[in-house]
Amino acid sequence: MLAIQLAITGLQTGALYALTAVGFSLIFGSTRIFHFAHGATFVIAAYFFYGVFGAGLGLLPSIAAAGLGAVAFGVLLDRLVYAPIQRHEGSFFTVFVASFGVGIVVQNLIGMVFGRGFVTVNTPLSRSVEMIPGVYVSPLAWIAILCTAIFLGALQFFLRRTHTGMALRALADNPELVRTFGLNPRMIAATAFAVGSVLVVPAAIITSATTGLNPAIGHHVMLISLAATIVGGIGSVSGTMLAGLLLGLAESLALLVVDSQWTEAVTFAILFAFIIIRPAGLLGRATAH
Amino acid sequence: MNMTASANDAPLMQIRNLDKSFGGVKAVDDVSMDLRAGIVTTLVGPNGAGKTTFFNLITGNLTRDGGQVTWLGRDTAGMKPYRIARAGVGRTYQDLRLFDGMTVWENVLNATEHGAFPVPISRAHRIARRERIERVLERTCLADKRNTRAIDLAYAERKFLSMARIMATEAKLWLLDEPASGLDPNSYERFLAILREDVAEGVTVCIIEHNLDIVIGISDRIAFLDRGRLLADGDPHTVMNDPELAKIYFGDRE
Amino acid sequence: MTRHFTLAGAIVSLACLAMPAVAEEHTIGAIFPLSGTNAVYGDVFMSGADLAVEHINADGVLSGPLSIAYEDSQALPQPAVVAMTKLVNVTGVPYTLSAFTGVSKAISTLATRNSVVGVNGGGVGPDLAELGDYFWNVIPLANLEMRAVVPFLVEERGLKSFALVYVDDPLGDAMHEELETILPEVGGELVDSFSVPTTAQQFSGVAAQVRASGADVVYVASYGNQQLQIVKQLRDNGVDAQLVAYSGYAVPDALALPESEGMIITGQGVDFDSEDAVTKRFVEDYTAKFDRAPTAYNVNYYNAVLVYGALAAAIEAEGGEVTGEALLEARRATESFDLVGGTVSFQDNGTLLFPIQVKEIRDGAAHALTSVTFD
Amino acid sequence: MEAYIFNLVNLIAIYAILAVTLNFIMGYAGIYSLAHAVFFGLGAYTSAWVAQNVHPSILLTIPAAMMAAAALSLLLALPALRVRGEYFVAASLGLQVLAVTIFSEWKSFTGGIGGVLAIPPANVFGIEVFKPAHFAILSVVALVIVMALINALVHSSFGRNLRAIHDSESAAASFGKNVPMIKTISVVISAALAAVAGALYASYLSFINVESFTLDASVLVMAMVIIGGTGTVAGPIVGAALLMLLPSLISWFDFLPQTEIGALQQIIYGLGMTLLMIFRPGGIVGRRAKA
């Protein structure tokens, strides 16, 4: 019974991991930008939601604020920070460091504005109900899984059925190709950032009601996204999705065997093992070099 | 350098039935060839014929699917590229792969330094090495640029630096991947002169080249590759005058 | 390259010039988390200490004005050591307030080497009692709280099986050991225990395990915002056992949490309704100044500053110089102090002994159920 | 006052050792590690253990720390040999997170979060060194030795091999260089020398716990190298000095709200990293960017 309960918990966690990680993976796969500030996007979306919701403006305006905040941050970051760097140099590490710096700035600014403590959006939806004897599931878990399914479904549709989406996938394989098709790579990069940033919004909002927020949470989000992207295989959106779910499950089911302080280590042991044994990831095509 | 009588008898390198495919496409298909001391062999063939792949198989940069390569009588199967290099097989790259952050001098000097650890070397050895590098820089006209970083060199200078690196080594076999492409007439005259001198000193050369003047001007032998297969292997005039091959080479396939 | 080194040199010398003058006025140090995730505690601690400074200055207890030089520890040992070095060597304080078990331990060596008193009013790790003569505690340590609440639960409430969720640090480890020792003595049983890393915020898995253990009581031994998350997620995930926590839970955020309703917590027995002058003045002025009721944390740092005031005044009265040595000597010579919460005395190990209250959280506030006194 | 400055000198010297050794693999071998604090920590714990259980002489503590870190660094070398770039960053991140968990849980060796208390002062030929001014001699001498060693290495054939590998691994191999071996050795050297900083740190602070060896510490050291200038001699030192002085500098501005100082400091260094990458990716003392 405990195992079933932990698996359900893991599924809920994994669904949110999958959403955030896919956002990162999409951006990284299509633009090769090591967008470490993806965690900051998460924090911004979550706190915008928290701020507007806390001000009593209602659910929909709060969601809109979170979405707008996330997209604006992602797109502006691409414009103002990544584009200039890529213009003159573009080594992945330079981008990474710049992105890291932005993450630190956002974390502390949010801390100055909203306080550095943990905050939670209180909702009766986080209260679990007993589904079968000994197994409790909260409405939020269903919402999380449903949201993940809807958003990832929409993403797949976007990537496979729309012109821009296909261009995005093409960009991952060959930037030159896109140019010859008469598309502007910078425009497509902006799309990648917008879409990738939108994907964290549901995860950020649900997290604000379940485990709560603090300005430093972006770090954890980022580490998990990175781990899922690599375990899933760089450039493979479905792989990242799968890996996000797996990492969530592993983290939760690990409790059957080890104390909870080892759960993060379990995630990164999996990552470390993948990098050494199978750098291409679960579904990746790309090789390590 | 020390060409002995016996070296002429047994080939330096024996290649037998070499195979390599990528995802079902044969890049090198059952190629056999001997590389003999002091002989300049030129690989010709259209783009994608498998010439560079052939080099990569010999140097161990790629692992072969089948076949055998022996170097100085020893099977090179399973040997890491650096081991094959130390055994005397040197190469250049089409895209040069210079050590961009290092000066010309350091590039050439480093080409002669094998060990992972800095080992003290004797004074005599050091002087000999310096003279050797000086001479290489003189011959490649890079002496004035010795303190320039490789990345700051002009195109032709970069090509010559690529040559200078291999000249400074003690490699017995040079695998040169399009060393003269894009050179102006003066430069490639100098390039031919260098190559002739070194061949005269006993270096064995295998060269990938598209420039027919060079092909004819320096080759002792031409090997024609197409789609991974060795279609012809013989003296330059016979191979180059074969109308069938010319058709393939100039892209005039059916 | 030389240019940059000179620049760095210039910055250092500039920094020296900006050094505040050390006059006859009294300056004590305080190393609190002013940034980072635990900064919320810094504010809580400062409010109590600042109020005590106001009171001491208003009363003219000392020959000159008293002020506090605050340094940021981020609740981490290394910044704390840097801050302590600065306080000791630059500001030249004889007395430093400190918070958090890790920070307190980190600065205790410097305190001893430089004969500067370090006073903890926030950390409750039991090993804080063993950091040498120059390290004092004005807070009852956590083992005392556990000794108060466990017999209450077992004997008065008839709750016998306990589960423990504890943070994986010296505090949590000490609580774990303490609980394992006490429970058998009073006829209870520790059915399961779960340690959680200091940084964890996701406890639904732990909650599932707690529920599976079927304990009557779940003791939560953590601090900061983590304990709120533990409580919230335990409740969210269907744990309906009695929840219990120690004094670390008595922060406004935690009390206001809807899930805290019905929890039992302990804390030093500060009777805020007490009629003694010190307590009354503190409660009135604190409420007026900060527009909220004080908690034990505010009290402790208020008390810590009052202790300095009393000791320094005694030293000045005898014409001595206020140094760490003199303060230690004066404390040993002083039998008891009138502090908020009553008249108390230091144990030999430099720790104040307070009565412990067992409280229940109702409607967002802690209401005393009983008070336990120790000797 | 002097004590305060010498205290800063000590911390700067210790972090400069970390920055210089990280720069060795980052700037010359192109191995971007986010796990440098692991070796710093292992060095600190090992030397603390030796000082407490064997003898506090630096002739024992430092070599022991170096050996332990060198041995562990083979674990980092493992992915370094197989993958590059973002993969290696991720692998080092993984190692860092694992190490923090182990540092927190291996309580008999590290004391967990509670840390190791009362580490004896450094013992240099029978003299106990703990006063900041005295320790400054030790730490600066150690820094100078480490720098001299690394400088000598960089200008030896080994250093050229490293730079060659950095520029083109395949070309280096075709000139007979055993690339995995050279990379491994560079990682081992870097880790072993980082452990020297750990040993000094432990004996200087007399208290260590896992919080000094987290990802944040690795990032701080990385920021020092990058802000100072990757692949330069003076860069890491300038970066270390700047970032270590930053908190003290900010705290002198009395008009700033006390509670925001820590945040401001982090914002400054975060902003610094970002702006430098946009306008001067070579760092403060760096040359122009590589193409």
Side-chain angles (χ1 to χ4, degrees):
Chain A
M1 211 42 73
L2 184 59
I4 298 177
Q5 178 72 60
L6 289 177
I8 291 176
T9 309
L11 213 59
Q12 176 190 352
T13 315
L16 298 186
Y17 283 175
L19 266 180
T20 17
V22 163
F24 176 77
S25 171
L26 186 73
I27 293 171
F28 185 60
S30 56
T31 65
R32 285 282 141 175
I33 287 173
F34 204 87
H35 180 42
F36 212 85
H38 192 59
T41 313
F42 184 96
V43 172
I44 285 175
Y47 272 88
F48 273 37
F49 177 80
Y50 168 77
V52 177
F53 194 75
L57 294 178
L59 185 64
L60 283 180
S62 313
I63 293 177
L68 282 177
V71 171
F73 175 72
V75 173
L76 282 179
L77 197 61
D78 177 47
R79 256 309 123 76
L80 300 180
V81 177
Y82 300 148
I85 293 177
Q86 290 202 316
R87 211 172 296 139
H88 67 64
E89 206 218 359
S91 121
F92 112 89
F93 202 69
T94 315
V95 174
F96 164 70
V97 172
S99 188
F100 207 103
V102 171
I104 294 172
V105 172
V106 168
Q107 175 186 334
N108 285 283
L109 281 180
I110 292 276
M112 285 169 98
V113 177
F114 290 96
R116 295 172 197 91
F118 244 82
V119 295
T120 314
V121 174
N122 279 312
T123 153
L125 294 177
S126 66
R127 185 61 66 123
S128 301
V129 274
E130 196 161 9
M131 302 302 293
I132 50 171
V135 176
Y136 285 68
V137 184
S138 74
L140 272 179
W142 299 118
I143 295 175
I145 292 168
L146 197 69
C147 268
T148 306
I150 292 172
F151 273 78
L152 292 182
L155 178 70
Q156 287 297 348
F157 178 82
F158 169 73
L159 288 179
R160 290 179 195 286
R161 294 276 184 274
T162 67
H163 193 62
T164 328
M166 286 190 277
L168 213 65
R169 289 201 297 155
L171 193 64
D173 297 332
N174 187 354
E176 288 310 309
L177 200 70
V178 174
R179 217 183 292 271
T180 49
F181 271 111
L183 295 159
N184 174 1
R186 282 248 58 92
M187 216 27 241
I188 298 189
T191 313
F193 272 90
V195 174
S197 303
V198 161
L199 287 172
V200 308
V201 174
I205 292 174
I206 293 169
T207 304
S208 72
T210 52
T211 56
L213 309 170
N214 84 358
I217 202 173
H219 229 71
H220 179 71
V221 168
M222 187 53 234
L223 291 180
I224 294 288
S225 300
L226 178 59
T229 301
I230 287 182
V231 170
I234 288 183
S236 162
V237 167
S238 338
T240 306
M241 210 173 75
L242 201 64
L245 276 178
L246 277 179
L247 290 180
L249 275 175
E251 191 176 281
S252 190
L253 289 174
L255 288 177
L256 289 172
V257 192
V258 294
D259 277 338
S260 72
Q261 57 264 43
W262 291 95
T263 52
E264 198 173 38
V266 167
T267 306
F268 283 89
I270 294 174
L271 170 66
F272 202 75
F274 259 91
I275 287 176
I276 291 175
I277 298 159
R278 192 179 156 78
L282 287 171
L283 303 179
R285 298 155 292 166
T287 55
H289 285 272
Chain B
M1 277 130 268
N2 310 319
M3 212 174 26
T4 57
S6 64
N8 268 333
D9 302 329
L12 285 177
M13 182 175 272
Q14 260 188 335
I15 298 152
R16 291 287 173 272
N17 312 103
L18 203 55
D19 269 317
K20 179 73 185 178
S21 39
F22 296 110
V25 179
K26 291 235 170 199
V28 169
D29 186 0
D30 196 27
V31 171
S32 299
M33 191 186 290
D34 287 347
L35 297 175
R36 289 180 186 278
I39 301 285
V40 177
T41 308
T42 303
L43 297 180
V44 296
N47 281 326
K51 303 182 297 278
T52 300
T53 305
F54 178 71
F55 272 11
N56 284 336
L57 290 171
I58 296 176
T59 57
N61 290 43
L62 288 174
T63 48
R64 48 192 184 249
D65 295 340
Q68 196 186 33
V69 176
T70 54
W71 169 248
L72 300 176
R74 195 175 145 204
D75 190 350
T76 65
M79 272 170 86
K80 291 259 162 35
Y82 80 92
R83 290 231 168 260
I84 295 175
R86 285 186 196 179
V89 179
R91 76 173 291 184
T92 67
Y93 290 87
Q94 199 182 338
D95 55 0
L96 303 183
R97 304 193 188 177
L98 301 177
F99 304 138
D100 278 334
M102 300 175 13
T103 63
V104 166
W105 180 271
E106 285 175 322
N107 262 278
V108 180
L109 172 61
N110 188 244
T112 69
E113 294 171 320
H114 284 173
F117 293 99
V119 272
I121 53 172
S122 71
R123 191 178 150 74
H125 186 135
R126 200 199 310 270
I127 292 172
R129 187 174 69 180
R130 182 178 305 155
E131 280 169 0
R132 186 182 171 84
I133 296 172
E134 285 291 357
R135 204 173 111 70
V136 167
L137 291 186
E138 290 291 332
R139 290 175 60 207
T140 50
C141 297
L142 287 168
D144 295 343
K145 303 271 186 180
R146 70 182 64 209
N147 291 323
T148 308
R149 284 201 299 165
I151 195 170
D152 297 327
L153 293 176
Y155 179 77
E157 290 166 341
R158 288 172 63 81
K159 294 285 262 196
F160 276 105
L161 178 55
S162 170
M163 282 301 293
R165 285 199 306 192
I166 199 170
M167 287 158 69
T169 66
E170 299 185 1
K172 294 185 185 64
L173 171 64
W174 293 4
L175 305 171
L176 308 178
D177 199 344
E178 302 200 22
S181 65
L183 288 183
D184 58 278
N186 270 342
S187 299
Y188 97 58
E189 278 310 324
R190 194 161 78 233
F191 166 75
L192 282 182
I194 288 170
L195 209 54
R196 287 201 186 96
E197 280 169 40
D198 280 301
V199 168
E201 282 182 31
V203 169
T204 305
V205 175
C206 185
I207 182 168
I208 296 175
E209 191 50 66
H210 286 297
N211 186 324
L212 290 185
D213 288 340
I214 292 187
V215 173
I216 305 288
I218 195 161
S219 307
D220 298 314
R221 164 191 177 202
I222 287 182
F224 195 104
L225 277 171
D226 180 44
R227 300 187 217 184
R229 294 192 66 89
L230 185 59
L231 295 190
D233 185 359
D235 75 279
H237 290 282
T238 320
V239 174
M240 290 321 285
N241 292 334
D242 184 325
E244 283 298 310
L245 296 179
K247 240 192 205 168
I248 294 171
Y249 189 75
F250 295 108
D252 198 16
R253 297 169 203 261
E254 61 276 25
Chain C
M1 161 173 139
T2 344
R3 189 163 53 89
H4 292 291
F5 281 127
T6 344
L7 181 67
I11 292 168
V12 172
S13 13
L14 267 180
C16 307
L17 289 176
M19 183 180 71
V22 182
E24 289 93 82
E25 60 206 36
H26 290 257
T27 306
I28 60 175
I31 302 173
F32 290 161
L34 304 176
S35 66
T37 44
N38 285 305
V40 59
Y41 282 96
D43 298 339
V44 173
F45 299 157
M46 279 164 84
S47 64
D50 285 341
L51 188 64
V53 170
E54 272 177 35
H55 286 171
I56 287 174
N57 286 337
D59 296 353
V61 174
L62 301 169
S63 62
L66 172 67
S67 64
I68 301 180
Y70 285 105
E71 293 291 338
D72 183 13
S73 69
Q74 298 171 41
L76 297 177
Q78 190 204 318
V81 169
V82 175
M84 184 68 175
T85 310
K86 183 175 170 193
L87 286 174
V88 168
N89 294 304
V90 185
T91 323
V93 301
Y95 191 87
T96 297
L97 310 180
S98 130
F100 283 82
T101 307
V103 166
S104 297
K105 288 168 89 171
I107 65 159
S108 64
T109 315
L110 275 174
T112 307
R113 280 186 193 164
N114 294 287
S115 305
V116 169
V117 176
V119 183
N120 161 52
V124 287
D127 39 2
L128 287 176
E130 290 138 28
L131 294 180
D133 287 343
Y134 282 95
F135 199 87
W136 310 348
N137 295 288
V138 292
I139 180 170
L141 302 178
N143 44 349
L144 214 56
E145 296 191 36
M146 210 162 229
R147 293 216 163 255
V149 77
V150 171
F152 171 82
L153 290 167
V154 175
E155 287 155 15
E156 310 261 322
R157 291 284 171 96
L159 302 170
K160 297 220 182 326
S161 66
F162 281 57
L164 173 69
V165 180
Y166 66 105
V167 63
D168 178 39
D169 79 348
L171 169 75
D173 288 344
M175 305 280 262
H176 185 212
E177 267 177 46
E178 200 70 28
L179 196 58
E180 275 185 327
T181 326
I182 302 172
L183 271 173
E185 291 173 12
V186 293
E189 185 199 358
L190 183 61
V191 289
D192 216 339
S193 59
F194 309 93
S195 69
V196 296
T198 48
T199 50
Q201 294 298 340
Q202 165 68 276
F203 304 106
S204 40
V206 171
Q209 290 176 292
V210 168
R211 210 176 54 230
S213 76
D216 303 329
V217 175
V218 183
Y219 197 109
V220 178
S222 169
Y223 44 78
N225 295 284
Q226 190 182 54
Q227 58 189 1
L228 275 73
Q229 283 308 311
I230 297 176
V231 167
K232 179 175 185 295
Q233 291 179 37
L234 284 177
R235 287 293 188 231
D236 273 356
N237 290 283
V239 174
D240 45 19
Q242 173 69 53
L243 297 186
V244 182
Y246 73 107
S247 57
Y249 203 76
V251 288
D253 288 357
L255 297 179
L257 193 73
E259 284 80 3
S260 300
E261 191 68 17
M263 268 181 83
I264 287 180
I265 61 172
T266 46
Q268 73 199 69
V270 186
D271 180 6
F272 288 117
D273 302 327
S274 160
E275 288 301 311
D276 76 278
V278 180
T279 310
K280 229 174 150 187
R281 180 187 191 190
F282 169 76
V283 173
E284 276 170 14
D285 288 4
Y286 190 93
T287 318
K289 188 172 176 194
F290 298 101
D291 198 27
R292 60 169 190 253
T295 68
Y297 281 131
N298 311 128
V299 171
N300 291 334
Y301 286 100
Y302 182 88
N303 280 346
V305 177
L306 282 196
V307 166
Y308 174 80
L311 295 176
I315 295 166
E316 282 186 337
E318 288 180 13
E321 198 191 338
V322 183
T323 61
E325 287 105 329
L327 287 167
L328 178 60
E329 207 177 303
R331 191 209 84 199
R332 285 178 169 155
T334 312
E335 219 155 82
S336 65
F337 295 83
D338 289 328
L339 302 177
V340 175
T343 304
V344 286
S345 32
F346 278 93
Q347 291 176 276
D348 286 343
N349 63 9
T351 298
L352 276 183
L353 214 48
F354 274 99
I356 300 289
Q357 266 181 354
V358 179
K359 296 174 271 193
E360 187 177 33
I361 300 177
R362 268 183 305 186
D363 305 324
H367 301 275
L369 295 173
T370 177
S371 185
V372 183
T373 317
F374 300 88
D375 317 295
Chain D
M1 191 64 224
E2 293 84 39
Y4 178 61
I5 288 183
F6 282 122
N7 179 52
L8 272 176
V9 169
N10 284 321
L11 287 173
I12 290 172
I14 288 169
Y15 276 89
I17 293 177
L18 290 177
V20 167
T21 50
L22 181 62
N23 183 41
F24 178 60
I25 50 173
M26 245 171 74
Y28 298 106
I31 298 173
Y32 297 108
S33 166
L34 272 175
H36 214 51
V38 174
F39 306 110
F40 180 44
L42 186 65
Y45 285 124
T46 309
S47 97
W49 189 88
V50 170
Q52 285 182 334
N53 295 290
V54 187
H55 192 271
S57 166
I58 58 165
L59 293 181
L60 276 175
T61 57
I62 291 182
M66 290 174 74
M67 281 195 293
L72 182 76
S73 69
L74 293 175
L75 200 64
L76 184 66
L78 207 63
L81 305 182
R82 286 182 56 92
V83 296
R84 292 196 64 152
E86 55 266 42
Y87 284 90
F88 183 74
V89 169
S92 67
L93 215 57
L95 183 69
Q96 173 70 56
V97 174
L98 285 175
V100 167
T101 305
I102 291 166
F103 286 164
S104 314
E105 297 307 315
W106 188 9
K107 290 180 181 148
S108 57
F109 183 60
T110 67
I113 308 275
V116 185
L117 276 178
I119 300 163
N123 184 313
V124 186
F125 306 114
I127 304 161
E128 288 201 340
V129 184
F130 62 89
K131 285 245 187 282
H134 301 161
F135 201 87
I137 302 173
L138 183 61
S139 61
V140 169
V141 166
L143 172 61
V144 169
I145 292 175
V146 167
M147 282 181 71
L149 216 72
I150 291 212
N151 203 40
L153 270 175
V154 166
H155 291 99
S156 73
S157 63
F158 182 76
R160 278 188 294 273
N161 286 342
L162 269 187
R163 286 146 68 201
I165 290 170
H166 185 206
D167 287 342
S168 170
E169 239 172 70
S170 53
S174 46
F175 286 101
K177 294 169 193 6
N178 187 344
V179 174
M181 176 66 92
I182 292 168
K183 276 188 169 180
T184 307
I185 293 172
S186 72
V187 171
V188 168
I189 290 175
S190 168
L193 292 176
V196 174
L200 292 174
Y201 186 79
S203 60
Y204 180 61
L205 287 193
S206 79
F207 168 86
I208 48 170
N209 84 349
V210 63
E211 284 161 343
S212 306
F213 314 121
T214 57
L215 177 60
D216 287 346
S218 283
V219 170
L220 180 69
V221 176
M222 193 187 77
M224 288 170 177
V225 174
I226 288 165
I227 289 176
T230 318
T232 62
V233 179
I237 314 276
V238 172
L242 218 57
L243 287 192
M244 292 312 284
L245 286 174
L246 198 58
S248 338
L249 284 182
I250 298 176
S251 68
W252 291 107
F253 294 104
D254 290 342
F255 59 88
L256 294 173
Q258 283 287 351
T259 43
E260 303 301 346
I261 282 179
L264 278 174
Q265 171 200 330
Q266 298 218 354
I267 288 175
I268 290 176
Y269 109 54
L271 213 55
M273 278 162 82
T274 308
L275 293 179
L276 268 177
M277 289 308 103
I278 298 177
F279 299 109
R280 202 181 159 89
I284 292 175
V285 292
R287 281 189 294 206
R288 67 183 173 77
K290 273 188 199 160

